[in-house]
Amino acid sequence: AGAEVTTDAGGKYQLASWKQDGTLQIAADGYEPVTIALSDQPQLAQPTPPAVTLDAKLRPNTVNGVITDAYTKKPLAGALVKASDTLSATTSADGSYRLTGVPERFSVTVSAKDYDPVTQSPQQQTSFSSALRPNVLAGTVTDRYSGKPVAGAQVKAGGGASATTGADGTYRLEGVPADATIEISADGYAGLTQPLEQNTALDAVLRPDVLKGKVLNATTGAPIANATILAAPNLESDAVAMERIDGSTDGAFTLDGLPEQGVLQVLAPGYRKAVIELKPGSVPNEIKLEPFYTKSIYVTAAVASNHDLLMKFFDHIDQTELNAIVIDLKSDLRDDLGLIYYDSQVPIVKELGTARPIMDIKEILAEAKKRGIYTIARVHIFSHDNVLADAKPKWAAQDSKNGGVFADYPGPGIRYAWLDPWNRNVWDYNIQLSVEAAHMGFDEINYDYIRFPSLEFGADDKDRLKLSKPGATDDEKYQNIAEMLTQSQKAINGAGAYLSVDVFGVTAWEPSPLIGQDIKIMGMHTDYVCPMIYPSHFWPGAAGFDLPAKHPYEIIAESMRLGQEQMQGKRA
């Protein structure tokens, strides 16, 4: 009725008069106004003098608070605080805001550029503060060695956020999720991965991990056509990066995945292996290899197990033009044919118990290295390994006539068991043994009996022999040997050693389909091919001689000429 008062400190008011059909209006800053129809108040219909009481409760309709940066804890200016399409406020320089006229139930959404939004539904609150998480990341990517910016680097975060560095190496990622892992990659560089944590800026330094260079002949300076370049943590480890060049005209190579530290090794048939310590920014881009030809002497595992006797061979090498030694890893003695003569740690060897600690390989190799002697480990593959054939008969060729393992019997009391060239367990057994030998320090692994049976000792050999793939074509046999060599060479080169193969002497003249040896094919998957040229094994009329055995020089010379023709353009 036109009367107006203000509540005191206790919230009390007093009006002297009112109209029975009037209204009481109550308003206060920060509260939702209230209008009360007095006619609806029964205590006012029959008032009890001198006064009647009418209390009221006001609902706050104002929300205020401070918005901050979740990482820096500093106030965030310019953030939008929104309760509805028509009810919003923007934070001031101190991060504060005030919303007036909010309904009883509402949701607040706080958003700001480069931050994750936050939405909450405060209940019976007049104060609501929040911290927003930055969702951007920016920085510069540079080269570790040159300090120059890396353009075109890919910067990725979980959830699909990605960016590419510009010419100045800078990038900016938006929409970066919480707890993201940042991945930075660029061609020619080792990738970088790290947790984001509470950062909005991340500068990265990438290490170049691509080595581009050339392999050259140290004597002539000419490019080397065939080589394998590999990097490993140390000489006892497999390669972590490896590149092979074949038939190169300039000796150029590109090695991806170069580790920061370790050793770089370069293998090229006809040259000494180069070993270069990997140091940041110090690897030469021209690697010169010394030409090297082995002049070698062979000892059995039994001889190698006798220290004093072996030293006589070493002395003989020191005193002559010899520079290398071939040592059997497996016994070639009839009574323990195929027994590994050192304490091999190859799992399958330990499982089968096919090794004995008879010779000290580490001591032998250390002495050879001290004297500068090139070391070759001979490993007979599919024959002369009775120990493995008897330990794993299912891996062996089968005797369809007599049962059991197929074997050659070249003389009384002599038995040469054959393993099945198709059986990949046999491949793996010998490859693992060879890799172990390379890690121990052998310069070269020499495969012998890398062939099918020659069926030369018994009239019924052909009838007795049963392999797991009967009726294979000549080409299938050639390719089987080639595939075994492909796996072997990759593993053995990757362990830092060369691979050589012994072949029948006649294969220098022409392929031998019976035994599956074609040196034109084998020469693509090995580093050296060694024809075993026994003049006594050649046929009448070979090289124009009725008795080739009487003309050893001419037979060997012709074999070398024909063999070199077949090796033209090949790896070996």
Side-chain angles (χ1 to χ4, degrees):
E4 183 178 299
V5 296
T6 302
T7 57
D8 64 15
K12 294 181 180 180
Y13 70 94
Q14 183 172 316
L15 287 169
S17 62
W18 73 91
K19 290 183 178 181
Q20 190 72 36
D21 60 351
T23 59
L24 179 66
Q25 297 175 345
I26 308 172
D29 184 33
Y31 291 85
E32 189 71 17
V34 171
T35 297
I36 302 173
L38 298 182
S39 59
D40 294 339
Q41 302 297 319
Q43 73 272 34
L44 300 184
Q46 295 179 340
T48 303
V52 292
T53 299
L54 179 59
D55 294 335
K57 292 181 179 181
L58 299 188
R59 179 184 63 78
N61 69 352
T62 299
V63 175
N64 54 48
V66 176
I67 306 302
T68 57
D69 183 299
Y71 291 170
T72 66
K73 313 302 180 187
K74 293 180 179 180
L76 188 58
L80 178 65
V81 185
K82 191 173 182 181
S84 69
D85 290 339
T86 58
L87 185 59
S88 63
T90 302
T91 57
S92 58
D94 62 357
S96 64
Y97 74 92
R98 177 183 177 89
L99 285 176
T100 302
V102 296
E104 185 171 4
R105 294 184 179 278
F106 66 99
S107 292
V108 175
T109 297
V110 185
S111 60
K113 180 176 171 50
D114 298 336
Y115 289 84
D116 278 346
V118 171
T119 299
Q120 288 194 22
S121 299
Q123 298 297 323
Q124 297 184 354
Q125 291 178 227
T126 60
S127 177
F128 172 71
S129 296
S130 183
L132 299 189
R133 185 190 71 83
N135 63 4
V136 295
L137 185 68
T140 303
V141 180
T142 54
D143 182 296
R144 173 179 294 184
Y145 300 145
S146 69
K148 295 180 179 179
V150 177
Q154 294 293 314
V155 185
K156 296 181 180 180
S162 65
T164 302
T165 58
D168 60 355
T170 61
Y171 72 91
R172 177 182 170 84
L173 270 181
E174 298 180 353
V176 178
D179 301 322
T181 296
I182 306 302
E183 298 178 357
I184 304 177
S185 60
D187 289 341
Y189 292 87
L192 181 67
T193 301
Q194 73 176 63
L196 174 60
E197 299 178 340
Q198 294 190 358
N199 293 314
T200 57
L202 178 64
D203 292 334
V205 178
L206 297 187
R207 176 182 62 81
D209 73 341
V210 172
L211 176 64
K212 294 186 177 182
K214 292 185 176 182
V215 184
L216 306 175
N217 184 312
T219 303
T220 66
I224 294 174
N226 305 310
T228 297
I229 303 93
L230 60 122
N234 52 60
L235 292 175
E236 293 76 41
S237 302
D238 288 328
V240 295
M242 188 161 72
E243 179 67 19
R244 169 173 165 158
I245 58 173
D246 288 282
S248 172
T249 57
D250 58 3
F253 68 88
T254 299
L255 181 65
D256 290 315
L258 190 72
E260 185 171 11
Q261 293 181 320
V263 289
L264 182 74
Q265 301 178 75
V266 182
L267 302 158
Y271 295 86
R272 271 203 182 273
K273 179 178 72 173
V275 179
I276 302 168
E277 183 181 358
L278 287 175
K279 293 181 180 178
S282 68
V283 180
N285 55 17
E286 281 192 356
I287 300 172
K288 297 181 178 180
L289 304 185
E290 296 289 341
F292 179 71
Y293 300 92
T294 60
K295 295 183 178 181
S296 184
I297 195 167
Y298 160 75
V299 297
T300 65
V303 170
S305 67
N306 184 320
H307 177 271
D308 293 341
L309 184 55
L310 181 62
M311 290 306 104
K312 290 182 180 180
F313 282 87
F314 278 11
D315 292 341
H316 189 59
I317 293 173
D318 289 342
Q319 296 159 8
T320 66
E321 72 271 27
L322 297 175
N323 59 13
I325 192 164
V326 181
I327 299 174
D328 278 333
L329 289 189
K330 302 176 183 179
S331 170
D332 219 348
L333 302 177
R334 294 173 188 174
D335 53 352
D336 59 2
L337 203 61
L339 179 67
I340 297 166
Y341 260 45
Y342 71 94
D343 189 19
S344 172
Q345 297 304 301
V346 172
I348 186 61
V349 171
K350 293 180 72 69
E351 178 186 330
L352 298 179
T354 53
R356 299 284 185 276
I358 300 173
M359 60 179 174
D360 190 336
I361 287 289
K362 291 183 179 179
E363 180 187 10
I364 292 170
L365 291 172
E367 180 64 24
K369 189 173 292 293
K370 189 194 306 181
R371 297 177 184 232
I373 297 173
Y374 184 90
T375 51
I376 304 171
R378 176 173 173 261
V379 182
H380 26 285
I381 305 296
F382 297 124
S383 184
H384 285 226
D385 195 342
N386 295 2
V387 169
L388 179 58
D390 293 339
K392 281 289 187 180
K394 290 184 179 180
W395 295 4
Q398 303 298 306
D399 189 326
S400 62
K401 182 177 179 181
N402 304 315
V405 173
F406 175 87
D408 288 330
Y409 298 96
I414 303 175
R415 171 180 174 260
Y416 295 146
W418 274 90
L419 291 148
D420 188 345
W422 300 104
N423 191 299
R424 300 205 172 204
N425 294 307
V426 180
W427 299 12
D428 293 341
Y429 178 91
N430 286 286
I431 291 173
Q432 289 180 52
L433 187 68
S434 300
V435 166
E436 181 181 54
H439 284 161
M440 289 190 295
F442 276 101
D443 297 298
E444 181 181 319
I445 309 301
N446 172 244
Y447 277 5
D448 202 356
Y449 293 97
I450 176 69
R451 62 179 177 85
F452 288 79
S454 53
L455 307 176
E456 59 184 306
F457 295 108
D460 63 347
D461 282 357
K462 182 178 180 181
D463 298 326
R464 291 191 300 115
L465 177 64
K466 180 182 178 182
L467 300 176
S468 57
K469 187 173 182 177
T473 66
D474 297 346
D475 188 60
E476 285 175 329
K477 290 162 72 174
Y478 293 143
Q479 292 305 320
N480 178 70
I481 298 298
E483 189 171 349
M484 196 273 182
L485 289 178
T486 299
Q487 292 187 21
S488 297
Q489 188 183 30
K490 182 177 180 180
I492 291 168
N493 284 175
Y498 291 95
L499 171 64
S500 61
V501 292
D502 297 337
V503 296
F504 265 22
V506 70
T507 62
W509 297 51
E510 60 187 18
S512 179
L514 176 64
I515 61 173
Q517 287 185 345
D518 182 340
I519 65 172
K520 293 190 300 298
I521 297 174
M522 299 174 79
M524 296 303 296
H525 311 289
T526 186
D527 300 307
Y528 295 98
V529 173
C530 309
M532 299 158 58
I533 302 164
Y534 306 143
S536 60
H537 283 38
F538 282 76
W539 57 93
F545 300 112
D546 292 334
L547 291 174
K550 281 192 171 185
H551 302 274
Y553 173 83
E554 290 82 359
I555 292 297
I556 292 172
E558 182 66 2
S559 298
M560 292 294 97
R561 185 185 71 81
L562 294 171
Q564 290 290 0
E565 284 185 0
Q566 292 196 73
M567 286 293 101
Q568 289 299 314
K570 304 300 185 292
R571 171 82 177 188

